[in-house]
Amino acid sequence: MSTPELEPTESAAEPAVSPETPPPPSPPRTGWTLVALIPDDGKQPPADLSDATAQNAWCAVSALWHPSLLARASGLPKIEPIQDPSGPTPREIRLAVGGTLNLLPSGYRTQAADAGAILLESGPDRDAMIRQIQELLGAVGTPETSDDAAMIDTARDFLALGLVHWLVRDLSIAMGHHDAINEEALARETLAGADAWQNGDRPTAVNRLRAAFEVLTQARERSYPVDAYLLDLCLLDPALPAGALAAPLESRVAITFLAQADAIESQARQDPERIAALCQAITDGWVDVVGGAYSEAEDPLLPLESTFWQLRRGGAVYREHLEERNVETFARRRFGLSTQVPQLARRFGFRFAVHFALDGGKFPIRSEPKRLWESPDGSNLESLLRVPMPADRPSRGLMFPWLLATTMRNDHVATVPLVHWPAPVASWYLDLRRAATHSPVFGRWTTLNDYFHLTDRPYETFRPQPDAYATPYLAQSAARREPEPISRLARHHRLRAGVEAVQWTRALALALSSALQGASAEPHEHDPADDVAAVENAVETGKHAEAATALETLEPLWAKVLAGKIGSAGSSTHPKPRPGYLVVNPLGVARRVAVVLPDAAADLRPEGGLRAAQLTDDGVAAVVDLPAFGFAWIPRECDPERPAAPLGNVSASGRVLKNESIEVEIDDESGGIRGIMGVGESTARLGQQFIMTGLGEADGKPIVSRMKRERFEVEYAGPALVQAVATSRLVDPADGRALARVDLRYRLWTGRPVVEIDVSLSDIDPNWAANAAGADPWKHYLACRWAWPDSSAMLRRTVFFTPELSELERPETPDALDVSTRRQRTAMIFGGLPYHQKAGGRMLDTLLVAGSETGRNFRVGVVLDLEHPFHAAQDWTSPAPVVATDDGPPAMGDRGWLMNVDHKAVAVTHVGFTPTTFDDRGWGLVVHLVETAGQAARCRLRFFRNPTWARQCDFQGEAVVDLNVDGDAVLLDLMPNELARIEVSFG
């Protein structure tokens, strides 16, 4: 970035005197001697330096450089170590750092008084300190202390010069160049400028100041003659008031605003004039905006489509308020790092990134400032890795020259990033920005975007493993006393799955309609398309109650539209249409689902996709086989000619529940699960119960509650469902006091290799809950504890649907954790509950209540021997809509599919309808996919109708590659863990 233009002077001024020009002869200067006494002079400050001491040191050193004091001084102020100062002499002002007078040699105060020197102690207020010294020197009431704003501003430039002189001296020492500053030239220019200021000649004072700053720049260049880069990052938040941009935009020194889109949106609403000024500053090249998402949500723990929404919505808001500009650098203040960030950012058009978080969390820190951050698919972003130095801490200012020296010595490109909010900021930071308007003393202040453009692109990559990252979200939510830090995330997953189900039913309904009409279909007469977008916005902005209400209307509406299109496709060949139900599957995996059929006959027999049915309190429950992205038709009335469902597929014997593949034994003492095993296995794979912590310690170990069963009852025992309920109490082992009640419902369906566990908590001890609200949520919680027999088993967590080996003590995942041995794989399904903690080598706690959590109803499950756990994770949260029909089965058959992916490791996360595809090729579908096995995949994406054209594009609609079409299939090659957006035309 070019150096900002200097302000025009008020009148023609003499050119700045070059520091290399031989000085004209001048009489010896007389006056006061000014000395600052500081601790650790010429040494790197200790790591435990307090902000108070640092602020006092800043005041002591820089206050003496006020021009009204310099004009009465015999020379430039000196800096001496307070532990070993020189002897005091008459007409001296010795200013010691406040709070460090005890470091002076014994008797020094008396010695100073006897010598006629004035010994003062600095405080944090530099202006007050200056006024006190001015009174001592008789400067009060003189012209130079008038209220002239321009003169006051110039005086502050002198004060900044004093700070910069100190820091450049320390930088030179750190770089091994002790005499780098031309003190004679600096004194000549500075004192001449102070005299000019004293005489009211501001233009001359400004020119002399510039020359003085240039002397210090030349001193730095003797140690480091090439550009060093100073990156100033200013944080914005949507909660900031109007006017937050005023101070950062006051001086034309390069600055970068790290602001998510909702922060820009908030300022545009409150302060449109300054947003206009921000846009002009971006045009002028000295301001940049980095960010990416709309808001800083818990992206690593949310569904993939939620992250897509954040980036899509964020981009739209940036363009709306920043004059159609796209943000080029992906950055977040709040933790949001994961292995897939480079790929996600690339797909949304970002060119650069920052790899750090400013609010906690675990992430790898590199020694170099820049590298190529790489995702598993090979996508990479040039990224800033260096964690910024806080510019709101006075102690960091004293560390600044030493950190700058370190990067100058060690890095190919010397880089020091700074970070702060608009206010408050440290005094030293303001002085550094003021100095930068005169000369690039310490280096080039540049925006983050310009930094990437001006420096060489690194060739080294780094690809962190998933275990290198861990979020701080739970602790933060607990500290903020959020009422639902855990259950809110689970609800978000369910609602997001509901939105995607509606998106799919709408897309396929419009696609079938378009195919039948031979042209792009008009939306449904009630056109819920906008409503779907509104529901999506409500989910992603935390308006969950509003979203849930809307989904209750949209889901059956679009399912009914789709059922009608399926029913009207083709000519019926059935002589006697029968009333029934159409069950649709919005997922790309084949499912065996349990649904309730309203008003169905209680004695339904297997037919088509119907595997079994039975009457329950909720109605007739049925187990239905559904093709991936397909449907199944189920009759409403029983066909007596068909055989009944076989008995014994599901059963309950004592406390043992069983279906064709799973056996579950309920523990008689606790009411938890004694063992889950495959049918025919002799050893339990997994056990489960509920525990409470935060009860104190015994023998150095935390005390854990005991679980005692009060009731056990089998509610249903076939032919479709076996279900049992248990009621237990969690008690304090020390005194038997009841801490909570746990109501459990265990459920097995015929043909489903899944144990369903519904959890309802009540009667939680109020004292325990009150303590939990203020305690560490990882030490004080109520959890579902899982246990397995083999301590050598591998624990794999799903990360963006991919099973990844994890050795973390707190393996976070909202989807599934897989306990794998050589021959068995047992997955725990969480439905959006993301927080888990190991308890020893073979136990894991899934946190349900921690902090101020008010949620009391949860749902978890266990599935056996599933190669791709994301199948069960998607099935767990996604609905299977049921639509009553009068005529059936459809002409297409009692079962059928509308889309299909022939690779089990490829997950489809979104299907949407578009009335016009690229280049006006007609109506089509947009499909989002992700490869989950970590291996390159070649797959066929098949449809109910032959596509005419297809392409892969990024998430901004830019083409990546045209795809081959083979009959009803689109051929697609995916890299390991690749995210893909496919646009398919049928017009």
Side-chain angles (χ1 to χ4, degrees), residues 51-64 66 69 95-99 120-134 156 159 394 427-428 431:
D51 285 335
T53 300
Q55 180 72 8
N56 292 341
W58 163 83
C59 176
V61 171
S62 62
L64 298 176
H66 191 278
L69 307 184
L95 185 54
V97 173
L120 302 175
E121 183 177 14
S122 72
D125 188 340
R126 183 170 64 182
D127 290 341
M129 192 75 251
I130 292 171
R131 287 193 296 271
Q132 182 181 354
I133 300 176
Q134 286 175 334
R156 295 192 181 281
L159 299 175
S427 305
W428 62 264
D431 282 351

Side-chain angles (χ1 to χ4, degrees), residues 712-849:
F712 175 79
E713 179 184 348
V714 176
E715 293 185 323
Y716 303 107
L721 165 69
V722 58
Q723 179 173 292
V725 293
T727 299
S728 300
R729 294 281 179 178
L730 302 183
V731 301
D732 190 327
D735 55 17
R737 175 172 50 96
L739 299 172
R741 170 175 168 165
V742 183
D743 290 294
L744 300 167
R745 179 166 279 106
Y746 302 106
R747 189 181 300 113
L748 288 174
W749 297 91
T750 180
R752 275 175 61 85
V754 181
V755 182
E756 300 177 7
I757 308 170
D758 294 343
V759 184
S760 179
L761 305 173
S762 59
D763 299 340
I764 294 180
D765 181 74
N767 292 328
W768 182 92
N771 292 334
D776 182 347
W778 291 104
K779 296 180 180 179
H780 196 120
Y781 56 79
L782 189 157
C784 172
R785 172 164 287 182
W786 310 91
W788 52 92
D790 188 354
S791 60
S792 65
M794 295 187 298
L795 194 63
R796 302 187 307 163
R797 58 174 176 142
T798 54
V799 179
F800 292 102
F801 288 154
T802 300
E804 299 281 3
L805 182 65
S806 179
E807 296 181 354
L808 291 176
E809 289 300 307
R810 298 170 183 170
E812 295 173 323
T813 176
D815 300 317
L817 272 163
D818 185 284
V819 180
S820 300
T821 63
R822 184 175 298 179
R823 298 181 180 179
Q824 298 174 341
R825 299 178 68 171
T826 307
M828 297 158 281
I829 309 300
F830 306 118
L833 298 171
Y835 302 120
H836 319 278
Q837 181 168 253
K838 289 182 180 178
R842 56 180 188 85
M843 291 188 291
L844 181 82
D845 293 344
T846 296
L847 275 62
L848 304 179
V849 176

Side-chain angles (χ1 to χ4, degrees), residues 625-649:
D625 287 330
L626 291 175
F629 286 135
F631 63 88
W633 180 85
I634 307 300
R636 188 180 305 170
E637 302 296 336
C638 173
D639 184 352
E641 297 182 0
R642 293 184 177 273
L647 299 177
N649 287 343

Side-chain angles (χ1 to χ4, degrees), residues 507-519:
L508 270 296
L510 294 177
L512 284 173
S513 180
S514 300
L516 293 172
Q517 296 175 12

Side-chain angles (χ1 to χ4, degrees), residues 84 232 292 395 451 478 522 525 683 762 848 948:
D84 186 24
D232 188 0
S395 59
Y451 170 73
E522 292 297 323
E525 59 181 349
T683 304
S762 59
L848 304 179
T948 59

